[in-house]
Amino acid sequence: MAQRYRYTDTEPLFVGHYWMDGNPGALSENVACVDYSVARPGGKLVAYRWRGEQKLEQNNFIWVDRHL
């Protein structure tokens, strides 16, 4: 059986290259994807305003919708 990796460091981990859908948000309390498919119709350009917190906060995600 393949082992699954679980991120356990205290600082948040930000990842991309997954083409997520929907509204941006954390994948766990300290992991977030900021790739919300800005290259395709309906996608979003996403960022997170990290201020040193160990647990990600929903209100720190910011984004703009693609309008092309």
Side-chain angles (χ1 to χ4, degrees), residues 21-33:
D21 290 322
N23 287 329
L27 300 174
S28 71
E29 67 181 25
N30 64 344
V31 177
C33 181

Side-chain angles (χ1 to χ4, degrees), residues 13-25 27 31-40 42-48 61-64:
L13 174 66
F14 298 94
V15 298
H17 202 65
Y18 289 98
W19 287 58
M20 305 289 284
D21 290 322
N23 287 329
L27 300 174
V31 177
C33 181
V34 291
D35 183 351
Y36 278 77
S37 314
V38 73
R40 73 177 174 205
K44 295 172 176 57
L45 181 62
V46 178
Y48 184 87
F61 285 90
I62 56 172
W63 64 88
V64 293

Side-chain angles (χ1 to χ4, degrees), residues 1-5:
M1 178 197 281
Q3 290 186 349
R4 293 180 183 237
Y5 177 77

